[in-house]
Amino acid sequence: MGARPVTVRLARWSAEHPWRAVAMWVVFVAVCFVGGSAAGLNEATSADQAIGESGRAGVIVEAGNFDDPATENILITPRGGTLDQTAAKAAADDAAARLRSVTGVASVGEPVPARDGSAVLLPITMSGDPETAADRVQPLRDATAQVQDGHPQLRIEQVGGPSINKALDDTLGKDFKRAELLSLPVTLAILIIAFGALIAAGVPVLLALSSVAAAMGLSTLASHLVPATDTTASVILLIGMAVGVDYSLFYVRREREERAKGRSGLDAVEIAAETSGHAVVVSGFAVIISMAGLLLAGDVVFSSLAVGSILVVAVAVTGSLTVLPALLAKLGRWVDRPRVPLLWRLTAPRTGRHGEPAKPRFWPAVLKPALRAPVATLVISVGLLLALAVPALGMKLKFPGMEDVPRSTAAMQAYDRLTAAFPSNGTSHTVAVRAPAAEADRVSAALTGLAARASADPLFAPTEADGPKIRVSDDGRVSVLTVATPYTSRDAEAGQSLDRLRDDLVPAALGGVPGVQYAVGGDIAASEDYAQHVRDKLPIVVGFVLVLTFLVMVLTFRSVVIALSSILLNLLSAGAAYGLLVLVFQGDWAEGLLGFTSMGAIVAWLPLFLFVVLFGLSMDYHVFVVSRIREGIRAGMPNREAVAYGITSSAGVVTSAAIVMVGVFSIFATLSMIDFKQLGIGLAAAILLDATIIRAVVLPALMTMLGDANWWAPRFLRPRAAAAPTEPPAPAPELVGVR
């Protein structure tokens, strides 16, 4: 007998020394978490995140070392009809007097009337660090409310970056608090339904949470090599809970199944380690490979997400191979306690009259079309998925703009009134110039002329009465011009105005200045540049993931056909998810249903991130299902029976894992921001499609149609000696209460 697989040896040692294994795991998690906290987080700078020409513009602006204090505005508008200028001036004077005495206010400017007389704007400059202005803006808002009370005939509002950021922070804070409060109970509830026992449901959650805690600490340490971003921790939690629960489900379900067949606790753990444990390792490698593809994007945001995801998956795999067998061995049959009476009767592994596992009824019925008419089933199901994927060909990418922020807050409603009365305070472009100090006057003249030409173009907003907004650094080397456009970022004219600046106005104005460097940035430019960045990098990332995943699958299953079909099915799943995302979010038919306003595009970073996450998580299911099919083949089953055995014996756990992820991801669709809605819907829909149509219809139809060709491989890849056929495994017990 050859050496036992490492997964079995690890599980055996952990099961024989459960307290040592648990203690080592607790110490490992604690050391990782405490060590990370002690090391501190190294966050990415704006220079780290620079992408395209807009990124170069940001670097130039940062080199100017400008004093950029936080600013707010008091907006005075009529409640109806025309604005009473006398009353507006009195309100502005009152606001100025009150705000000058408020802590945190550095200065109050002079009132500025709108060109059409519809509003008056009072600018305010805040003191202190601009990064913390949102935390210190409330006293200003309180003073503005007092001014409003004193002038009820007018609408007096405060609007600016800090006010909007505070409103968004409050909204997002409530959203995330609700999501956090819902996600854990939803996961536990689904697992209780899946297992019918509280301890069995709690074990996967415990492993997932401890894996997340350890990975958080490790990612903090790793941030000193790859700087972290604001989203890293959220993605670690998202991926960690998904794979942690998945891996535990695979393992615990197989251990319970073997115990139901009469195996001893240790034997059941060993068999689970040899089968499900091996599938977990392969799945983990597949997810890690997918996430590693993000490192090729050349983007610090994606790089930080890749590092965090890789760490949490690696930790979750390690936990499933060590502490999980220890817990199962120590708990023994107590893992099925305390039982939930009705759910336990529905979910417990069943046996027939003579002790053999009972035959499931539901999944064989689902599989009948694929097994009896595989070609027709394959053509129809693949055709439907391809039709669903077709809309993805028209996918548009962009960043959400201010117009895509929910209008449920007073700050955003005030922002709309501000940009209507003062267009130059809305969407704008930034022309950043770096040149020798001796050329400062020439640069200033060129930018002034540029502003005049832009002001005469209907694609741009008219220059304010006080002239163009040009800032020059103290050393005279950096100059920055703000050019406003009256269009929102979702309007086609906004993109046209960017092209006009980059292709015509800016080169014509600055091209003749010796030693000049220039770039056009701003929100619109950042959106366009990032979308192009994703389009350029997506083929590279996809190619990397496909090639390495193919190699892993070939080495795992010793079959070129299995590896190739795995790739094709996951691509089909991802394409269908893309198409569904475009159908839902690029149109407006689902706005009322999901509570959003269509931005006519998909968030620029989402397709790349969605691909690697979906490809990795889909491989979890695929490896698990195909491993069960291969068990049947090695036991001497004919191909058709092996396919039926593999699908029916894995359907319950795959369904349970998918329902957990769909439930958690769906919570993201309830959040206010369009980014999270698209992420939640995209992930939930893709996992649902993958676990149902792909695994229960397309996969069995394909493998039934191919027959023995499924396992073809070149001679050098074939095992040296095939295992002798054993007694075919009995049909899997009923899972997750389906009959």
Side-chain angles (χ1 to χ4, degrees):
M1 179 182 295
R4 292 179 300 176
V6 66
T7 57
V8 177
R9 296 200 299 272
L10 283 173
R12 179 86 186 191
W13 185 91
S14 298
E16 291 177 342
H17 308 87
W19 289 121
R20 293 185 192 178
V22 172
M24 290 172 65
W25 179 256
V26 171
V27 170
F28 169 71
V29 173
V31 168
C32 291
F33 191 79
V34 173
S37 300
L41 186 68
N42 177 38
E43 296 188 78
T45 64
S46 56
D48 292 329
Q49 302 182 58
I51 297 292
E53 184 174 341
S54 59
R56 296 197 302 273
V59 171
I60 292 174
V61 172
E62 190 170 348
N65 295 316
F66 293 102
D67 180 18
D68 283 323
T71 59
E72 286 284 289
N73 300 283
I74 304 298
L75 179 67
I76 303 170
T77 55
R79 291 194 175 276
T82 58
L83 180 65
D84 184 335
Q85 297 296 327
T86 302
K89 184 178 186 308
D93 291 342
D94 184 14
R98 289 179 184 271
L99 285 160
R100 286 192 180 99
S101 62
V102 173
T103 302
V105 174
S107 63
V108 178
E110 294 297 320
V112 180
R115 284 178 177 270
D116 59 3
S118 63
V120 171
L121 193 68
L122 183 69
I124 303 165
T125 301
M126 294 182 64
S127 59
D129 185 358
E131 297 295 327
T132 62
D135 301 326
R136 299 180 286 106
V137 77
Q138 190 56 47
L140 283 72
R141 299 174 70 183
D142 294 339
T144 303
Q146 294 172 5
V147 177
Q148 174 67 85
D149 292 341
H151 304 269
Q153 75 279 18
L154 299 171
R155 183 188 288 111
I156 302 173
E157 304 167 290
Q158 185 171 321
V159 59
S163 296
I164 292 173
N165 287 337
K166 179 171 176 54
L168 292 179
D169 288 344
D170 291 343
T171 300
L172 289 176
K174 293 177 182 177
D175 280 351
F176 281 119
K177 187 174 182 180
R178 183 176 72 251
E180 290 169 1
L181 291 175
L182 286 175
S183 60
L184 194 57
V186 165
T187 301
L188 276 173
I190 295 170
L191 291 174
I192 289 172
I193 294 172
F195 286 113
L198 298 184
I199 293 178
V203 167
V205 175
L206 185 63
L207 176 65
L209 289 176
S210 61
S211 298
V212 168
M216 289 283 192
L218 291 174
S219 70
T220 302
L221 292 170
S223 71
H224 294 277
L225 297 175
V226 179
T229 61
D230 294 339
T231 54
T232 305
S234 299
V235 170
I236 289 176
L237 179 61
L238 184 73
I239 301 298
M241 290 301 296
V243 299
V245 169
D246 267 12
Y247 298 161
S248 300
L249 269 171
F250 295 166
Y251 210 108
V252 174
R253 177 64 76 176
R254 186 58 183 261
E255 189 267 350
R256 292 177 81 208
E257 182 182 324
E258 296 302 325
R259 278 195 292 106
K261 295 178 182 177
R263 312 274 191 190
S264 68
L266 192 56
D267 287 342
V269 168
E270 281 199 355
I271 293 173
E274 188 170 7
T275 54
S276 293
H278 180 262
V280 164
V281 172
V282 177
S283 298
F285 271 113
V287 178
I288 287 173
I289 286 170
S290 293
M291 293 301 173
L294 290 176
L295 296 171
L296 300 179
D299 178 349
V300 71
V301 175
F302 283 139
S303 295
S304 67
L305 297 184
V307 170
S309 300
I310 289 170
L311 289 172
V312 77
V313 171
V315 172
V317 170
T318 303
S320 69
L321 298 180
T322 54
V323 70
L324 184 56
L327 288 173
L328 293 176
K330 192 64 183 175
L331 289 169
R333 296 191 178 275
W334 275 96
V335 77
D336 295 328
R337 304 288 194 280
R339 297 172 179 175
V340 182
L342 176 61
L343 295 176
W344 174 255
R345 287 197 296 272
L346 293 173
T347 62
R350 297 172 178 271
T351 56
R353 292 181 180 179
H354 305 292
E356 78 281 0
K359 295 182 179 180
R361 300 176 185 175
F362 176 79
W363 289 106
V366 172
L367 285 173
K368 277 184 180 179
L371 298 177
R372 293 183 177 180
V375 176
T377 302
L378 187 65
V379 170
I380 293 172
S381 57
V382 170
L384 291 174
L385 290 172
L386 287 175
L388 186 57
V390 166
L393 298 175
M395 181 184 290
K396 300 175 183 177
L397 303 178
K398 62 171 286 188
F399 276 146
M402 289 296 290
E403 67 275 11
D404 299 309
V405 175
R407 260 44 187 180
S408 57
T409 62
M412 291 311 305
Q413 295 165 13
Y415 173 81
D416 289 339
R417 284 186 277 269
L418 171 69
T419 54
F422 299 89
S424 62
N425 286 278
T427 308
S428 61
H429 306 287
T430 301
V431 181
V433 184
R434 179 159 48 195
E439 304 295 336
D441 291 341
R442 189 170 177 179
V443 169
S444 180
L447 291 178
T448 301
L450 168 60
R453 286 191 293 277
S455 183
D457 190 319
L459 288 174
F460 302 95
T463 302
E464 293 295 331
D466 56 352
K469 299 177 180 179
I470 301 176
R471 294 184 296 164
V472 181
S473 63
D474 292 339
D475 62 6
R477 296 178 181 274
V478 177
S479 301
V480 179
L481 168 67
T482 300
V483 182
T485 174
Y487 302 101
T488 65
S489 62
R490 71 166 59 133
D491 294 328
E493 291 85 353
Q496 293 170 14
S497 67
L498 174 65
D499 293 339
R500 182 70 56 83
L501 280 174
R502 285 182 167 178
D503 299 338
D504 182 15
L505 297 179
V506 173
L510 295 166
V513 179
V516 71
Q517 299 175 26
Y518 56 80
V520 179
D523 291 340
I524 298 173
S527 178
E528 294 287 339
D529 291 345
Y530 204 85
Q532 188 58 49
H533 173 72
V534 169
R535 294 188 196 99
D536 293 341
K537 298 298 183 180
L538 187 58
I540 299 173
V541 173
V542 169
F544 171 85
V545 172
L546 294 184
V547 170
L548 285 193
T549 302
F550 177 81
L551 293 176
V552 168
M553 296 297 287
V554 166
L555 293 175
T556 300
F557 292 102
R558 299 290 176 173
S559 167
V560 172
V561 177
I562 289 293
L564 186 59
S565 62
S566 303
I567 298 296
L568 293 177
L569 291 187
N570 281 331
L571 283 176
L572 183 62
S573 177
Y578 281 172
L580 186 62
L581 205 60
V582 170
L583 281 175
V584 172
F585 288 102
Q586 282 192 194
D588 55 12
W589 65 271
E591 289 181 338
L593 182 65
L594 297 175
F596 71 96
T597 299
S598 175
M599 55 187 273
I602 304 303
V603 177
W605 56 266
L606 195 58
L608 191 56
F609 180 71
L610 201 61
F611 173 80
V612 296
V613 172
L614 293 180
F615 207 88
L617 296 182
S618 295
M619 271 301 169
D620 276 359
Y621 304 146
H622 194 85
V623 169
F624 188 69
V625 173
V626 175
S627 294
R628 295 302 292 257
I629 294 173
R630 185 174 62 172
E631 283 184 41
I633 294 292
R634 287 182 169 179
M637 283 185 174
N639 182 75
R640 190 183 301 268
E641 291 181 21
V643 170
Y645 164 75
I647 299 294
T648 55
S649 61
S650 61
V653 67
V654 168
T655 302
S656 301
I659 291 174
V660 169
M661 283 199 277
V662 169
V664 172
F665 293 154
S666 296
I667 294 173
F668 280 77
T670 68
L671 303 186
S672 301
M673 301 299 288
I674 190 68
D675 315 53
F676 296 112
K677 284 186 180 294
Q678 292 189 4
L679 177 64
I681 293 294
L683 288 173
I687 295 298
L688 188 60
L689 287 171
D690 191 79
T692 54
I693 297 177
I694 296 290
R695 305 304 159 204
V697 180
V698 180
L699 175 64
L702 178 63
M703 294 192 71
T704 300
M705 183 185 73
L706 292 175
D708 292 339
N710 282 303
W711 311 102
W712 179 86
R715 185 176 300 276
F716 71 90
L717 281 175
R718 297 172 191 168
R720 292 183 180 177
T726 60
E727 181 182 351
E734 243 178 314
L735 300 173
V736 200
V738 292
R739 291 176 175 265

